[in-house]
Amino acid sequence: MEITPLQSVSADDADDLYSIKVSESTAVKVSESTAVKDSIYRKEITRQSTILAIGAVGIFASYSGVLGLQSTLNFEDSLGTTSLAICFATTILANLTFAPVLLERVGAKALVISADVTFVIFTLANIYPAKFTLYPAAVLLGIGEAFIWPAVTSFNSSFATATVSLTTSKTSKDECESAVRENVKKKLVWFSGRFYAVFSAYLVIGNMMAYSILRFDLSQNTQSATNFSDHARYECGALDCYEYDANSGNTTDNNMTISNDTLRYVLFAGYTFLQICCCVLHAKLLWNPNKLQHQEADVKPSSAIKIARHVFSSFCEQITNIKQVLIAPLNFYNGMMMAFIFGDFTRSYIACAMSVHQIGLLMTIFGHSSAITCRLFQLSSNHVSRHFCVGLALTTEAFVLLWCVLWRANEFDIWQIYVVSALLGVSDSIREAVITAIYPVYFHGEERAMAFNFLSMLNAAGLATMFAISTNICLIYKLIILSGSLASSILCYCILEIHYA
């Protein structure tokens, strides 16, 4: 009788085989358990990304509505634009001083919540606009602006790093570090695109609120469009030299005021309520980035003096870094363009030619276009080159600036403002997402944090510059400045990509 291999095994060998089988079974169970935990953890990362974006949508939905009305409703003594210039000048100072210190010491979540509160205060100040209400609120808002974007970038970087850590095996220590870094970059682009795809909805929500409420003022203001045969009082478009005071004269026959103050109070009260809800959402449901990355929460932060010294030395390195110098014109232009859209375009093209009540509608079109484009950018981020996206955005804006110079107000060309609003949404969404994604490509490790801080500062500098000169020079000169800034941005970006990509 032939003996089978199983029968020929000794008792000790049988015990060993049994142990091996138990070990394999346990390993399979552990592997399955780990896979389940990773799946849950991955879903939580996505959930946290969604919470961050939805809260930001509510905060900035209200802010965008308030921002778009500053150059019209608060035109007297340049109250609105001056307050915004103060805001972004404060942002620059905050980015250079205590914002980086607080980011490390209190964490990204605390900065996000603090920023949310400053946005609420600024909205409340607009219920009764005056120098003693708007200017202090603008200072606080500037601090909030300095907090919010480095904190959001910190969150997105944490999402990307945590996701890559799930897909990187524990035996991958021998893998090329550059390959892992490249995966983090791709994920950061994806999370940034996802954030801005959701975030861009703020323009739709906030401006639809403004349009839905202010349109009832048309019953009091029967003049819904400019009398184009009478340009003695003011001009629209590039010819606007801000000589016409929207708060003077008979408010029933001009396009830049709201005759019913009750509607104004209702609008800003609604904005405030929405912002408070989103502030609570961030406070209750948002995690700290160190929790996402399984870091110890009780790690002692560095001293404020040490951080300040590090920030100052890093800033000196940044302003002498050739890569940062080449990216700077694009960031500065980005801020200037945003100031033009929310300050000059809303006043000199929309309100002047159509009425202040139409600002919400036109900016809603801008928001829809931005949201759709940002979503397409996210889906195609792995298939379309960054150069193509930048080229598309800057080419579109060159066309828009040319149109802004040549357009003259008449009843037959009003439809063009709708088209241009949509084109501005396309270029703005691509420009914002691409700029955010450029920095991880050229800056790594500790250098990246200061680079992002520098990004926020340059954007604020562009915004502050445009709002500071808002009513001091004619719009045609500002368009020339914008065109020159765009040309220098394109030139510097091309040099950057050719020599340092």
Side-chain angles (χ1 to χ4, degrees), residues 104-119:
E104 180 171 334
R105 292 186 68 84
V106 304
K109 179 179 177 179
L111 291 195
V112 167
I113 296 171
S114 300
D116 292 347
V117 173
T118 64
F119 282 91

Side-chain angles (χ1 to χ4, degrees), residues 240-286:
D240 188 3
C241 288
Y242 307 98
E243 296 174 352
Y244 173 64
D245 189 340
N247 293 285
S248 64
N250 187 356
T251 59
T252 62
D253 65 355
N254 75 69
N255 299 336
M256 299 190 187
T257 60
I258 299 174
S259 59
N260 190 340
D261 287 337
T262 301
L263 293 178
R264 178 187 184 122
Y265 300 146
V266 170
L267 176 62
F268 288 118
Y271 281 156
T272 302
F273 176 75
L274 177 60
Q275 287 179 325
I276 291 174
C277 290
C278 291
C279 185
V280 172
L281 176 70
H282 278 161
K284 294 293 185 181
L285 300 180
L286 199 60

Side-chain angles (χ1 to χ4, degrees), residues 336-351:
M336 294 179 70
M337 193 64 187
M338 290 303 298
F340 168 76
I341 293 172
F342 285 97
D344 299 298
F345 186 74
T346 54
R347 172 192 158 81
S348 301
Y349 293 89
I350 300 176

Side-chain angles (χ1 to χ4, degrees), residues 59 102 142 145 156 244 249 418 426 443 450:
I59 293 295
L102 291 177
E145 284 275 1
N156 285 331
Y244 173 64
Y418 292 87
V426 172
F443 303 95
M450 190 60 200

